[in-house]
Amino acid sequence: MKTFHNPHHAAHAGQQEMFRGRMVPCHEVPARLDFVLAELARRPLGPLGPPSVEDSALDAAIARVHSARYLAFLASAWDDWVAMDPANAQRDALPSVWPLPSRHGFRSDVLPANFAARLGLFSFDSGSPLTAGSWAAARGGAACALAAAQAVVNGERSAFALTRPPGHHAGPDFLGGYCFLNNAAIAAQALRDAGHAKVAVLDVDYHHGNGTQTIFYERADVLTVSIHGDPTTEYPFFLGHADERGAGEGDGFNLNLPLSRGTGFARWRATLDTALQAVHNFGASALVVPMGLDTFEGDPISGFTLQSADYAVVGAALAGAGLPAVFTFEGGYAVDEVGTNTVNLLEGFQQAT
């Protein structure tokens, strides 16, 4: 299995986030990736290195899933933040105002001149700090996703985009959930553009992949499936319900499988079988797995109870789909164990292939 790691990931290192009504140190930290690299050094799965992707190809791949207005905002966001007040160079940018949807209420079609308003326009939470290195890190992650997809197109059975910040909460024109660019969506679209007629995205993160769902919600060529915590109690709260089935041409091509907090591996594993059956019925020729390890029992912000050994079983089950697969590194905030759990899953996939 080829692993593409993001050499720019540590440039994104938020100081604080808003979490349950108070400012706390960020849960999404550079050490998450470092622990995975350390475990891969102990248990190598195959070649590991940075992606080699041309800027023009990367820009085109990102623009296939994100709006031009949003990308322009991200590219200049830090400079605009510092321009508001030179002292901002010492602190992260967090939104403080949002245009909530309401008939005859707030508008989102007019781009505000004020940076704080623009940040709110393109954000859906106050827990995703934007830093001096966020854009470079997010672009580097997208390069990993594109390189992983290209490896699979070129005949690899599987490839792993090891990057942070994560991506599956980022939508076509919004950031949140620590995510800025949707790596899984970029990989899925790249697979489509390279000739795969049908691509399935199977999200196993504890939190619903709302951004990925939004990007593909009206399309029939990409099936989106997500196993996650019940949105009535779990982040991101406002998407991820079982009745969200897609719209227009995409009607029937989105499957949400929410589970209650405290769910153990037996029920989670049975739900994975349901997800894999949907992938089989869809007739996908390639699979993208937004790989969250925050289903682990020790995760500080999640609520399932999977054990480290369970992830090898998950990997083997995913291999049973018989599809070439791209894995993108998503959640997992029990930092000490995230390396073990990541490699357990990938090793389980590789050994069952």
Side-chain angles (χ1 to χ4, degrees):
M1 180 182 296
K2 286 188 174 181
T3 295
F4 299 92
H5 75 84
N6 182 359
H8 307 293
H9 82 94
H12 174 73
Q15 301 174 55
Q16 291 182 306
E17 64 176 91
M18 178 68 75
F19 181 70
R20 298 173 183 169
R22 59 193 177 95
M23 297 300 294
V24 301
C26 288
H27 291 99
E28 205 287 304
V29 295
R32 298 179 62 238
L33 190 143
D34 296 335
F35 273 83
V36 179
L37 284 175
E39 189 65 19
L40 284 171
R42 285 189 288 270
R43 291 191 286 159
L45 300 175
L48 184 153
S52 178
V53 175
E54 293 184 359
D55 284 344
S56 59
L58 178 59
D59 288 337
I62 294 172
R64 292 286 282 142
V65 299
H66 292 289
S67 75
R69 189 172 77 153
Y70 175 61
L71 295 174
F73 163 77
L74 287 179
S76 66
W78 183 255
D79 289 342
D80 293 344
W81 169 241
V82 175
M84 287 185 70
D85 180 350
N88 282 348
Q90 305 305 315
R91 49 181 175 255
D92 301 341
L94 285 171
S96 58
V97 59
W98 295 268
L100 295 175
S102 177
R103 182 172 173 79
H104 306 308
F106 297 105
R107 293 180 62 177
S108 59
D109 59 315
V110 179
L111 190 66
N114 181 280
F115 173 76
R118 290 201 302 279
L119 180 58
L121 175 65
F122 294 115
S123 304
F124 72 85
D125 68 19
S126 57
S128 304
L130 191 149
T131 77
S134 296
W135 177 235
R139 247 182 92 77
C144 291
L146 179 58
Q150 290 173 341
V152 165
V153 168
N154 291 332
E156 295 291 333
R157 171 65 172 165
S158 59
F160 178 33
L162 174 56
T163 184
R164 52 167 299 281
H168 73 148
H169 293 304
D173 56 0
F174 58 79
L175 64 91
Y178 312 138
C179 302
F180 300 89
L181 296 176
N182 195 309
N183 301 315
I186 289 166
Q189 185 62 54
L191 290 167
R192 280 286 297 109
D193 291 342
H196 284 276
K198 292 184 177 182
V199 176
V201 180
L202 203 176
D203 194 322
V204 297
D205 191 279
Y206 179 77
H207 303 97
H208 175 248
N210 61 294
T212 316
Q213 172 174 309
T214 301
I215 288 167
F216 296 116
Y217 202 62
E218 297 186 10
R219 290 173 52 173
D221 57 335
V222 177
L223 173 72
T224 47
V225 184
S226 180
I227 307 170
H228 53 267
D230 185 342
T232 62
T233 61
E234 308 303 315
Y235 183 93
F237 304 113
F238 306 112
L239 214 60
H241 298 275
D243 63 352
E244 297 158 11
R245 301 284 299 168
E249 292 183 2
D251 187 15
F253 297 99
N254 186 81
L255 176 62
N256 288 327
L257 299 166
L259 298 170
S260 60
R261 176 172 279 265
T263 292
F265 185 56
R267 186 178 176 197
W268 193 97
R269 176 67 181 82
T271 305
L272 178 60
D273 282 341
T274 300
L276 288 168
Q277 186 62 51
V279 171
H280 173 76
N281 294 344
F282 176 62
S285 60
L287 179 67
V288 177
V289 182
M291 192 179 72
L293 292 310
D294 46 3
T295 50
F296 180 61
E297 64 166 353
D299 196 273
I301 61 173
S302 304
F304 291 162
T305 61
L306 275 65
Q307 310 286 315
S308 289
D310 295 332
Y311 291 101
V313 179
V314 174
L318 292 169
L323 298 174
V326 172
F327 294 86
T328 62
F329 188 57
E330 304 289 351
Y333 309 101
V335 176
D336 290 348
E337 294 88 358
V338 73
T340 297
N341 296 341
T342 297
V343 179
N344 281 359
L345 192 154
L346 297 174
E347 192 174 64
F349 180 93
Q350 187 159 280
Q351 291 178 351
T353 299

